[in-house]
Amino acid sequence: MRIEAPRTADSHDPKLQKILAAAKEVFLEHGYAAASMDLVARRAKASKTTVYTRFPSKEALFAATIVTECERHGMLFRAEDFDHLPLDEALLRIGGRFLDLVWSPEALRTHRIVMGEAARFPEVARVFYDTGFVQTGEAVARFFVRAKERGLIAVDDPAFTARQFLVTLKGFPDCGISLGLCEPPPAAERDAYLRKVIGEFLRGVAAPPA
Amino acid sequence: MRIEAPRTADSHDPKLQKILAAAKEVFLEHGYAAASMDLVARRAKASKTTVYTRFPSKEALFAATIVTECERHGMLFRAEDFDHLPLDEALLRIGGRFLDLVWSPEALRTHRIVMGEAARFPEVARVFYDTGFVQTGEAVARFFVRAKERGLIAVDDPAFTARQFLVTLKGFPDCGISLGLCEPPPAAERDAYLRKVIGEFLRGVAAPPA
DNA sequence: GTCTATATACAGATAGAC
DNA sequence: GTCTATCTGTATATAGAC
């Protein structure tokens, strides 16, 4: 299944925008299979025919919807934004922004649906991966490369370490949160968690040699 | 949706076993919505009526199938199994077993489906979480508690650190692998990756104070 | 271009024969 | 208990009116 652009390229088509907005609601609420084109049309206050004028199939509408959603949350920050802060403070800010995004209700629902449909929509999974994990990883990698140049960290492969850092931030809590079993923590609790994680990340857990 | 036991409690019912085996194949291959009871019946070489004698609905069959699958992969190891090894070697062995499990084709497919259906089947998500992440986390936590008692690691909360360690093992590669975009690495490459991750985990990444 | 109404297909669940 | 055949609902996609 190719990712197809809507038939009309006009991004100022107001019907198209309403359809995409409705589709986002419906797909994020019900998932791919349980969503119906009928409901999308009703929510967009249009008829199904109108929807099918813009998108040739349910699959195409789904792909366009998720891709649009992924691109909406583009890059989080530039590497230079945090250069003036002490290392642990910079990592805390980066981590806070990152978790705000990945633990937002929309991102969580999108992740669940993309995972569930990854076999059927590999191109959608690819876009989610590229715009989410990879792009963010690159931004953080640039920060880590600069941190290494400034002598703040001592690692062989700062890009690798940066990507691992992102995953470490999500940590164990993400296992329950991504499955919808636990609520994302409020900001204060989340920052306490982040400090703990970042502390171990920076200093390691091994006992100092006796 | 409650998780219902099959109507017949007899675990030696051969038809029941064939139905569960067929259901596992069909659900893991197609996901919940795209799977059909017809196909399950055909694969089990039984009629749909027979399937409905054992399970009252498609939902019940799905829940029973995933739960059975989760419970099949129970605990990975006992904490004591690795006590005799040097710390980094023990962590390498633990990590290898863990990644063998979570990056197996069956576990990856199960994870995708459970994520996708988490909103509709929270009890299934709960079982997946408990038998997967939590149970494994507890086993590793016992190892870390012992490691702390033996003075090998210096952390406040060894159970917390253990759970974070598990997530760190999956690391960035898991982002692409869980979406089906990258293949799990072969054993040698995986071990090289693990050594890198475990090294940073133990020693931290911060530059030593000048 | 947009709508109502419909063709077509498929899947979950069951009735009734044996 | 098991099977064949079927009922019923629903969803994608489209034909035809305006």
mmCIF file of all heavy atoms in Angstrom, chain B residues 121-166:
data_model
loop_
_atom_site.group_PDB
_atom_site.id
_atom_site.type_symbol
_atom_site.label_atom_id
_atom_site.label_comp_id
_atom_site.label_asym_id
_atom_site.label_seq_id
_atom_site.Cartn_x
_atom_site.Cartn_y
_atom_site.Cartn_z
ATOM 1 N N PHE B 121 -9.239 -4.191 24.710
ATOM 2 C CA PHE B 121 -8.994 -5.346 25.577
ATOM 3 C C PHE B 121 -8.005 -4.984 26.676
ATOM 4 O O PHE B 121 -6.892 -5.513 26.701
ATOM 5 C CB PHE B 121 -8.444 -6.519 24.756
ATOM 6 C CG PHE B 121 -9.404 -7.065 23.746
ATOM 7 C CD1 PHE B 121 -9.403 -6.610 22.449
ATOM 8 C CD2 PHE B 121 -10.323 -8.051 24.098
ATOM 9 C CE1 PHE B 121 -10.288 -7.115 21.505
ATOM 10 C CE2 PHE B 121 -11.208 -8.568 23.165
ATOM 11 C CZ PHE B 121 -11.189 -8.097 21.867
ATOM 12 N N PRO B 122 -8.402 -4.122 27.592
ATOM 13 C CA PRO B 122 -7.461 -3.729 28.651
ATOM 14 C C PRO B 122 -7.030 -4.912 29.524
ATOM 15 O O PRO B 122 -5.882 -4.938 29.989
ATOM 16 C CB PRO B 122 -8.240 -2.691 29.456
ATOM 17 C CG PRO B 122 -9.659 -2.836 29.069
ATOM 18 C CD PRO B 122 -9.685 -3.395 27.680
ATOM 19 N N GLU B 123 -7.900 -5.887 29.715
ATOM 20 C CA GLU B 123 -7.506 -7.037 30.546
ATOM 21 C C GLU B 123 -6.408 -7.840 29.866
ATOM 22 O O GLU B 123 -5.513 -8.368 30.531
ATOM 23 C CB GLU B 123 -8.709 -7.956 30.831
ATOM 24 C CG GLU B 123 -9.718 -7.357 31.788
ATOM 25 C CD GLU B 123 -10.778 -6.543 31.048
ATOM 26 O OE1 GLU B 123 -10.592 -6.308 29.836
ATOM 27 O OE2 GLU B 123 -11.761 -6.137 31.687
ATOM 28 N N VAL B 124 -6.482 -7.937 28.548
ATOM 29 C CA VAL B 124 -5.426 -8.633 27.819
ATOM 30 C C VAL B 124 -4.119 -7.857 27.943
ATOM 31 O O VAL B 124 -3.058 -8.441 28.183
ATOM 32 C CB VAL B 124 -5.824 -8.816 26.341
ATOM 33 C CG1 VAL B 124 -4.668 -9.390 25.540
ATOM 34 C CG2 VAL B 124 -7.044 -9.716 26.229
ATOM 35 N N ALA B 125 -4.204 -6.541 27.795
ATOM 36 C CA ALA B 125 -3.005 -5.712 27.948
ATOM 37 C C ALA B 125 -2.415 -5.908 29.348
ATOM 38 O O ALA B 125 -1.193 -5.998 29.517
ATOM 39 C CB ALA B 125 -3.347 -4.242 27.711
ATOM 40 N N ARG B 126 -3.278 -5.987 30.326
ATOM 41 C CA ARG B 126 -2.830 -6.176 31.710
ATOM 42 C C ARG B 126 -2.058 -7.490 31.858
ATOM 43 O O ARG B 126 -0.987 -7.532 32.469
ATOM 44 C CB ARG B 126 -4.052 -6.143 32.636
ATOM 45 C CG ARG B 126 -3.834 -6.650 34.032
ATOM 46 C CD ARG B 126 -2.895 -5.799 34.832
ATOM 47 N NE ARG B 126 -3.369 -4.422 35.003
ATOM 48 C CZ ARG B 126 -2.670 -3.471 35.626
ATOM 49 N NH1 ARG B 126 -1.458 -3.736 36.106
ATOM 50 N NH2 ARG B 126 -3.148 -2.259 35.731
ATOM 51 N N VAL B 127 -2.585 -8.557 31.309
ATOM 52 C CA VAL B 127 -1.906 -9.852 31.414
ATOM 53 C C VAL B 127 -0.557 -9.799 30.709
ATOM 54 O O VAL B 127 0.452 -10.284 31.226
ATOM 55 C CB VAL B 127 -2.784 -10.976 30.823
ATOM 56 C CG1 VAL B 127 -2.002 -12.279 30.742
ATOM 57 C CG2 VAL B 127 -4.043 -11.154 31.664
ATOM 58 N N PHE B 128 -0.533 -9.200 29.526
ATOM 59 C CA PHE B 128 0.719 -9.061 28.788
ATOM 60 C C PHE B 128 1.748 -8.294 29.619
ATOM 61 O O PHE B 128 2.911 -8.700 29.734
ATOM 62 C CB PHE B 128 0.458 -8.329 27.470
ATOM 63 C CG PHE B 128 1.660 -8.208 26.581
ATOM 64 C CD1 PHE B 128 2.037 -9.254 25.754
ATOM 65 C CD2 PHE B 128 2.419 -7.053 26.570
ATOM 66 C CE1 PHE B 128 3.150 -9.151 24.939
ATOM 67 C CE2 PHE B 128 3.527 -6.938 25.753
ATOM 68 C CZ PHE B 128 3.893 -7.987 24.940
ATOM 69 N N TYR B 129 1.291 -7.216 30.198
ATOM 70 C CA TYR B 129 2.168 -6.377 31.036
ATOM 71 C C TYR B 129 2.673 -7.152 32.253
ATOM 72 O O TYR B 129 3.869 -7.150 32.554
ATOM 73 C CB TYR B 129 1.365 -5.153 31.464
ATOM 74 C CG TYR B 129 2.067 -4.191 32.387
ATOM 75 C CD1 TYR B 129 3.116 -3.404 31.939
ATOM 76 C CD2 TYR B 129 1.649 -4.045 33.709
ATOM 77 C CE1 TYR B 129 3.737 -2.501 32.784
ATOM 78 C CE2 TYR B 129 2.262 -3.142 34.558
ATOM 79 C CZ TYR B 129 3.310 -2.377 34.094
ATOM 80 O OH TYR B 129 3.921 -1.486 34.933
ATOM 81 N N ASP B 130 1.761 -7.822 32.943
ATOM 82 C CA ASP B 130 2.140 -8.532 34.172
ATOM 83 C C ASP B 130 3.063 -9.711 33.903
ATOM 84 O O ASP B 130 4.070 -9.895 34.581
ATOM 85 C CB ASP B 130 0.886 -9.031 34.898
ATOM 86 C CG ASP B 130 0.128 -7.898 35.572
ATOM 87 O OD1 ASP B 130 0.723 -6.826 35.780
ATOM 88 O OD2 ASP B 130 -1.062 -8.082 35.896
ATOM 89 N N THR B 131 2.711 -10.526 32.925
ATOM 90 C CA THR B 131 3.533 -11.712 32.670
ATOM 91 C C THR B 131 4.807 -11.349 31.932
ATOM 92 O O THR B 131 5.787 -12.090 31.987
ATOM 93 C CB THR B 131 2.759 -12.756 31.835
ATOM 94 O OG1 THR B 131 2.412 -12.176 30.583
ATOM 95 C CG2 THR B 131 1.512 -13.222 32.556
ATOM 96 N N GLY B 132 4.791 -10.235 31.203
ATOM 97 C CA GLY B 132 5.980 -9.840 30.471
ATOM 98 C C GLY B 132 6.841 -8.910 31.289
ATOM 99 O O GLY B 132 7.753 -9.340 32.005
ATOM 100 N N PHE B 133 6.531 -7.624 31.232
ATOM 101 C CA PHE B 133 7.391 -6.628 31.838
ATOM 102 C C PHE B 133 7.549 -6.800 33.347
ATOM 103 O O PHE B 133 8.664 -6.814 33.862
ATOM 104 C CB PHE B 133 6.842 -5.231 31.545
ATOM 105 C CG PHE B 133 6.747 -4.920 30.086
ATOM 106 C CD1 PHE B 133 5.532 -4.720 29.483
ATOM 107 C CD2 PHE B 133 7.894 -4.847 29.309
ATOM 108 C CE1 PHE B 133 5.443 -4.424 28.125
ATOM 109 C CE2 PHE B 133 7.815 -4.553 27.960
ATOM 110 C CZ PHE B 133 6.579 -4.345 27.365
ATOM 111 N N VAL B 134 6.434 -6.919 34.046
ATOM 112 C CA VAL B 134 6.511 -6.908 35.505
ATOM 113 C C VAL B 134 7.238 -8.138 36.038
ATOM 114 O O VAL B 134 8.155 -8.024 36.858
ATOM 115 C CB VAL B 134 5.097 -6.806 36.119
ATOM 116 C CG1 VAL B 134 5.178 -6.895 37.630
ATOM 117 C CG2 VAL B 134 4.436 -5.505 35.685
ATOM 118 N N GLN B 135 6.844 -9.313 35.551
ATOM 119 C CA GLN B 135 7.439 -10.542 36.065
ATOM 120 C C GLN B 135 8.944 -10.579 35.770
ATOM 121 O O GLN B 135 9.745 -10.918 36.647
ATOM 122 C CB GLN B 135 6.749 -11.746 35.408
ATOM 123 C CG GLN B 135 6.681 -12.962 36.298
ATOM 124 C CD GLN B 135 5.793 -14.028 35.667
ATOM 125 O OE1 GLN B 135 6.267 -14.844 34.883
ATOM 126 N NE2 GLN B 135 4.522 -14.008 35.984
ATOM 127 N N THR B 136 9.296 -10.214 34.557
ATOM 128 C CA THR B 136 10.717 -10.171 34.214
ATOM 129 C C THR B 136 11.426 -9.113 35.059
ATOM 130 O O THR B 136 12.536 -9.351 35.564
ATOM 131 C CB THR B 136 10.895 -9.847 32.722
ATOM 132 O OG1 THR B 136 10.076 -10.726 31.963
ATOM 133 C CG2 THR B 136 12.341 -9.999 32.315
ATOM 134 N N GLY B 137 10.787 -7.970 35.219
ATOM 135 C CA GLY B 137 11.368 -6.912 36.041
ATOM 136 C C GLY B 137 11.646 -7.394 37.457
ATOM 137 O O GLY B 137 12.691 -7.074 38.038
ATOM 138 N N GLU B 138 10.736 -8.187 37.998
ATOM 139 C CA GLU B 138 10.943 -8.682 39.361
ATOM 140 C C GLU B 138 12.113 -9.656 39.442
ATOM 141 O O GLU B 138 12.896 -9.630 40.400
ATOM 142 C CB GLU B 138 9.661 -9.341 39.874
ATOM 143 C CG GLU B 138 8.595 -8.306 40.247
ATOM 144 C CD GLU B 138 7.232 -8.936 40.503
ATOM 145 O OE1 GLU B 138 7.090 -10.164 40.356
ATOM 146 O OE2 GLU B 138 6.306 -8.167 40.847
ATOM 147 N N ALA B 139 12.229 -10.501 38.428
ATOM 148 C CA ALA B 139 13.350 -11.443 38.429
ATOM 149 C C ALA B 139 14.675 -10.681 38.381
ATOM 150 O O ALA B 139 15.611 -10.983 39.140
ATOM 151 C CB ALA B 139 13.234 -12.394 37.234
ATOM 152 N N VAL B 140 14.738 -9.676 37.515
ATOM 153 C CA VAL B 140 15.972 -8.903 37.402
ATOM 154 C C VAL B 140 16.197 -8.079 38.672
ATOM 155 O O VAL B 140 17.334 -7.897 39.113
ATOM 156 C CB VAL B 140 15.940 -8.012 36.149
ATOM 157 C CG1 VAL B 140 17.194 -7.170 36.042
ATOM 158 C CG2 VAL B 140 15.785 -8.868 34.904
ATOM 159 N N ALA B 141 15.091 -7.606 39.256
ATOM 160 C CA ALA B 141 15.225 -6.831 40.493
ATOM 161 C C ALA B 141 15.864 -7.683 41.587
ATOM 162 O O ALA B 141 16.720 -7.198 42.339
ATOM 163 C CB ALA B 141 13.858 -6.313 40.944
ATOM 164 N N ARG B 142 15.472 -8.942 41.676
ATOM 165 C CA ARG B 142 16.093 -9.807 42.696
ATOM 166 C C ARG B 142 17.594 -9.926 42.462
ATOM 167 O O ARG B 142 18.386 -9.896 43.404
ATOM 168 C CB ARG B 142 15.425 -11.188 42.684
ATOM 169 C CG ARG B 142 14.079 -11.199 43.401
ATOM 170 C CD ARG B 142 13.559 -12.612 43.593
ATOM 171 N NE ARG B 142 13.168 -13.238 42.338
ATOM 172 C CZ ARG B 142 11.982 -13.088 41.765
ATOM 173 N NH1 ARG B 142 11.060 -12.323 42.337
ATOM 174 N NH2 ARG B 142 11.702 -13.686 40.628
ATOM 175 N N PHE B 143 17.972 -10.028 41.184
ATOM 176 C CA PHE B 143 19.410 -10.086 40.893
ATOM 177 C C PHE B 143 20.114 -8.807 41.331
ATOM 178 O O PHE B 143 21.193 -8.854 41.941
ATOM 179 C CB PHE B 143 19.635 -10.326 39.396
ATOM 180 C CG PHE B 143 21.090 -10.310 39.014
ATOM 181 C CD1 PHE B 143 21.865 -11.450 39.166
ATOM 182 C CD2 PHE B 143 21.687 -9.154 38.534
ATOM 183 C CE1 PHE B 143 23.209 -11.439 38.830
ATOM 184 C CE2 PHE B 143 23.030 -9.127 38.204
ATOM 185 C CZ PHE B 143 23.795 -10.278 38.353
ATOM 186 N N PHE B 144 19.488 -7.661 41.060
ATOM 187 C CA PHE B 144 20.109 -6.378 41.407
ATOM 188 C C PHE B 144 20.172 -6.175 42.924
ATOM 189 O O PHE B 144 21.131 -5.588 43.434
ATOM 190 C CB PHE B 144 19.374 -5.225 40.721
ATOM 191 C CG PHE B 144 19.875 -4.920 39.348
ATOM 192 C CD1 PHE B 144 19.769 -5.855 38.327
ATOM 193 C CD2 PHE B 144 20.477 -3.713 39.050
ATOM 194 C CE1 PHE B 144 20.238 -5.587 37.055
ATOM 195 C CE2 PHE B 144 20.955 -3.426 37.780
ATOM 196 C CZ PHE B 144 20.831 -4.368 36.777
ATOM 197 N N VAL B 145 19.150 -6.634 43.626
ATOM 198 C CA VAL B 145 19.188 -6.523 45.089
ATOM 199 C C VAL B 145 20.372 -7.313 45.622
ATOM 200 O O VAL B 145 21.142 -6.840 46.482
ATOM 201 C CB VAL B 145 17.859 -7.026 45.699
ATOM 202 C CG1 VAL B 145 17.986 -7.191 47.211
ATOM 203 C CG2 VAL B 145 16.716 -6.073 45.356
ATOM 204 N N ARG B 146 20.567 -8.513 45.118
ATOM 205 C CA ARG B 146 21.704 -9.330 45.548
ATOM 206 C C ARG B 146 23.030 -8.673 45.155
ATOM 207 O O ARG B 146 23.989 -8.688 45.930
ATOM 208 C CB ARG B 146 21.607 -10.732 44.954
ATOM 209 C CG ARG B 146 20.400 -11.513 45.471
ATOM 210 C CD ARG B 146 20.137 -12.736 44.616
ATOM 211 N NE ARG B 146 21.138 -13.768 44.792
ATOM 212 C CZ ARG B 146 21.017 -14.765 45.648
ATOM 213 N NH1 ARG B 146 19.949 -14.846 46.430
ATOM 214 N NH2 ARG B 146 21.960 -15.681 45.759
ATOM 215 N N ALA B 147 23.050 -8.086 43.961
ATOM 216 C CA ALA B 147 24.285 -7.422 43.521
ATOM 217 C C ALA B 147 24.613 -6.249 44.444
ATOM 218 O O ALA B 147 25.783 -5.986 44.742
ATOM 219 C CB ALA B 147 24.132 -6.941 42.073
ATOM 220 N N LYS B 148 23.584 -5.553 44.897
ATOM 221 C CA LYS B 148 23.835 -4.450 45.815
ATOM 222 C C LYS B 148 24.348 -4.971 47.156
ATOM 223 O O LYS B 148 25.311 -4.436 47.725
ATOM 224 C CB LYS B 148 22.561 -3.632 46.036
ATOM 225 C CG LYS B 148 22.798 -2.437 46.959
ATOM 226 C CD LYS B 148 21.557 -1.620 47.233
ATOM 227 C CE LYS B 148 21.930 -0.476 48.176
ATOM 228 N NZ LYS B 148 20.756 0.334 48.566
ATOM 229 N N GLU B 149 23.731 -6.048 47.662
ATOM 230 C CA GLU B 149 24.165 -6.655 48.928
ATOM 231 C C GLU B 149 25.623 -7.087 48.847
ATOM 232 O O GLU B 149 26.370 -7.003 49.827
ATOM 233 C CB GLU B 149 23.294 -7.868 49.266
ATOM 234 C CG GLU B 149 21.890 -7.498 49.748
ATOM 235 C CD GLU B 149 20.953 -8.709 49.738
ATOM 236 O OE1 GLU B 149 21.404 -9.820 49.376
ATOM 237 O OE2 GLU B 149 19.773 -8.539 50.075
ATOM 238 N N ARG B 150 26.008 -7.534 47.654
ATOM 239 C CA ARG B 150 27.393 -7.986 47.484
ATOM 240 C C ARG B 150 28.333 -6.822 47.155
ATOM 241 O O ARG B 150 29.513 -7.046 46.878
ATOM 242 C CB ARG B 150 27.459 -9.049 46.388
ATOM 243 C CG ARG B 150 26.711 -10.327 46.788
ATOM 244 C CD ARG B 150 26.371 -11.180 45.576
ATOM 245 N NE ARG B 150 27.547 -11.684 44.915
ATOM 246 C CZ ARG B 150 27.611 -11.964 43.606
ATOM 247 N NH1 ARG B 150 26.566 -11.736 42.835
ATOM 248 N NH2 ARG B 150 28.717 -12.437 43.090
ATOM 249 N N GLY B 151 27.810 -5.608 47.154
ATOM 250 C CA GLY B 151 28.660 -4.434 46.955
ATOM 251 C C GLY B 151 29.094 -4.210 45.526
ATOM 252 O O GLY B 151 30.043 -3.459 45.250
ATOM 253 N N LEU B 152 28.398 -4.836 44.561
ATOM 254 C CA LEU B 152 28.807 -4.701 43.156
ATOM 255 C C LEU B 152 28.236 -3.455 42.505
ATOM 256 O O LEU B 152 28.819 -2.912 41.564
ATOM 257 C CB LEU B 152 28.360 -5.945 42.365
ATOM 258 C CG LEU B 152 28.992 -7.261 42.812
ATOM 259 C CD1 LEU B 152 28.330 -8.434 42.096
ATOM 260 C CD2 LEU B 152 30.493 -7.251 42.546
ATOM 261 N N ILE B 153 27.085 -3.041 42.984
ATOM 262 C CA ILE B 153 26.502 -1.818 42.436
ATOM 263 C C ILE B 153 26.198 -0.854 43.579
ATOM 264 O O ILE B 153 26.026 -1.274 44.725
ATOM 265 C CB ILE B 153 25.217 -2.081 41.623
ATOM 266 C CG1 ILE B 153 24.142 -2.743 42.501
ATOM 267 C CG2 ILE B 153 25.511 -2.949 40.408
ATOM 268 C CD1 ILE B 153 22.788 -2.858 41.820
ATOM 269 N N ALA B 154 26.149 0.417 43.240
ATOM 270 C CA ALA B 154 25.902 1.456 44.245
ATOM 271 C C ALA B 154 24.704 2.267 43.791
ATOM 272 O O ALA B 154 24.851 3.242 43.053
ATOM 273 C CB ALA B 154 27.132 2.345 44.404
ATOM 274 N N VAL B 155 23.520 1.840 44.192
ATOM 275 C CA VAL B 155 22.293 2.549 43.807
ATOM 276 C C VAL B 155 21.361 2.619 45.001
ATOM 277 O O VAL B 155 21.436 1.799 45.922
ATOM 278 C CB VAL B 155 21.560 1.847 42.642
ATOM 279 C CG1 VAL B 155 22.402 1.870 41.382
ATOM 280 C CG2 VAL B 155 21.204 0.414 43.017
ATOM 281 N N ASP B 156 20.478 3.615 44.977
ATOM 282 C CA ASP B 156 19.506 3.759 46.067
ATOM 283 C C ASP B 156 18.440 2.683 46.009
ATOM 284 O O ASP B 156 18.032 2.129 47.028
ATOM 285 C CB ASP B 156 18.799 5.124 45.966
ATOM 286 C CG ASP B 156 19.750 6.269 46.270
ATOM 287 O OD1 ASP B 156 20.718 6.010 47.011
ATOM 288 O OD2 ASP B 156 19.525 7.381 45.758
ATOM 289 N N ASP B 157 17.961 2.444 44.812
ATOM 290 C CA ASP B 157 16.736 1.667 44.619
ATOM 291 C C ASP B 157 16.992 0.593 43.572
ATOM 292 O O ASP B 157 16.718 0.783 42.392
ATOM 293 C CB ASP B 157 15.651 2.641 44.142
ATOM 294 C CG ASP B 157 14.295 1.978 44.012
ATOM 295 O OD1 ASP B 157 14.226 0.739 44.064
ATOM 296 O OD2 ASP B 157 13.304 2.716 43.849
ATOM 297 N N PRO B 158 17.557 -0.540 43.995
ATOM 298 C CA PRO B 158 17.977 -1.542 43.008
ATOM 299 C C PRO B 158 16.821 -2.061 42.150
ATOM 300 O O PRO B 158 17.026 -2.391 40.974
ATOM 301 C CB PRO B 158 18.582 -2.671 43.851
ATOM 302 C CG PRO B 158 18.135 -2.416 45.245
ATOM 303 C CD PRO B 158 17.872 -0.959 45.377
ATOM 304 N N ALA B 159 15.615 -2.107 42.694
ATOM 305 C CA ALA B 159 14.485 -2.590 41.882
ATOM 306 C C ALA B 159 14.184 -1.609 40.759
ATOM 307 O O ALA B 159 13.923 -2.003 39.614
ATOM 308 C CB ALA B 159 13.260 -2.785 42.763
ATOM 309 N N PHE B 160 14.235 -0.330 41.064
ATOM 310 C CA PHE B 160 14.052 0.698 40.029
ATOM 311 C C PHE B 160 15.123 0.580 38.964
ATOM 312 O O PHE B 160 14.838 0.574 37.755
ATOM 313 C CB PHE B 160 14.085 2.082 40.693
ATOM 314 C CG PHE B 160 14.069 3.226 39.724
ATOM 315 C CD1 PHE B 160 12.869 3.724 39.245
ATOM 316 C CD2 PHE B 160 15.258 3.810 39.306
ATOM 317 C CE1 PHE B 160 12.852 4.785 38.354
ATOM 318 C CE2 PHE B 160 15.243 4.875 38.409
ATOM 319 C CZ PHE B 160 14.045 5.363 37.934
ATOM 320 N N THR B 161 16.367 0.476 39.410
ATOM 321 C CA THR B 161 17.478 0.369 38.471
ATOM 322 C C THR B 161 17.342 -0.865 37.588
ATOM 323 O O THR B 161 17.635 -0.832 36.392
ATOM 324 C CB THR B 161 18.806 0.323 39.238
ATOM 325 O OG1 THR B 161 18.885 1.479 40.081
ATOM 326 C CG2 THR B 161 19.984 0.304 38.296
ATOM 327 N N ALA B 162 16.863 -1.959 38.178
ATOM 328 C CA ALA B 162 16.705 -3.193 37.409
ATOM 329 C C ALA B 162 15.688 -3.013 36.294
ATOM 330 O O ALA B 162 15.912 -3.443 35.154
ATOM 331 C CB ALA B 162 16.255 -4.321 38.346
ATOM 332 N N ARG B 163 14.594 -2.361 36.615
ATOM 333 C CA ARG B 163 13.558 -2.167 35.591
ATOM 334 C C ARG B 163 14.065 -1.245 34.488
ATOM 335 O O ARG B 163 13.801 -1.470 33.304
ATOM 336 C CB ARG B 163 12.287 -1.605 36.232
ATOM 337 C CG ARG B 163 11.611 -2.615 37.166
ATOM 338 C CD ARG B 163 10.205 -2.174 37.522
ATOM 339 N NE ARG B 163 10.180 -0.931 38.289
ATOM 340 C CZ ARG B 163 10.156 -0.843 39.604
ATOM 341 N NH1 ARG B 163 10.163 -1.953 40.332
ATOM 342 N NH2 ARG B 163 10.128 0.320 40.198
ATOM 343 N N GLN B 164 14.797 -0.211 34.882
ATOM 344 C CA GLN B 164 15.368 0.668 33.865
ATOM 345 C C GLN B 164 16.367 -0.087 32.991
ATOM 346 O O GLN B 164 16.450 0.145 31.786
ATOM 347 C CB GLN B 164 16.069 1.862 34.522
ATOM 348 C CG GLN B 164 15.152 2.879 35.123
ATOM 349 C CD GLN B 164 14.245 3.531 34.096
ATOM 350 O OE1 GLN B 164 13.029 3.357 34.143
ATOM 351 N NE2 GLN B 164 14.828 4.254 33.159
ATOM 352 N N PHE B 165 17.102 -0.983 33.633
ATOM 353 C CA PHE B 165 18.090 -1.770 32.884
ATOM 354 C C PHE B 165 17.421 -2.552 31.749
ATOM 355 O O PHE B 165 17.927 -2.586 30.613
ATOM 356 C CB PHE B 165 18.808 -2.721 33.838
ATOM 357 C CG PHE B 165 19.745 -3.677 33.168
ATOM 358 C CD1 PHE B 165 20.888 -3.238 32.528
ATOM 359 C CD2 PHE B 165 19.471 -5.042 33.172
ATOM 360 C CE1 PHE B 165 21.755 -4.123 31.900
ATOM 361 C CE2 PHE B 165 20.332 -5.934 32.548
ATOM 362 C CZ PHE B 165 21.469 -5.477 31.915
ATOM 363 N N LEU B 166 16.276 -3.141 32.044
ATOM 364 C CA LEU B 166 15.572 -3.923 31.020
ATOM 365 C C LEU B 166 15.239 -3.072 29.793
ATOM 366 O O LEU B 166 15.429 -3.493 28.655
ATOM 367 C CB LEU B 166 14.268 -4.478 31.586
ATOM 368 C CG LEU B 166 14.381 -5.753 32.403
ATOM 369 C CD1 LEU B 166 13.001 -6.195 32.859
ATOM 370 C CD2 LEU B 166 15.032 -6.846 31.555
#
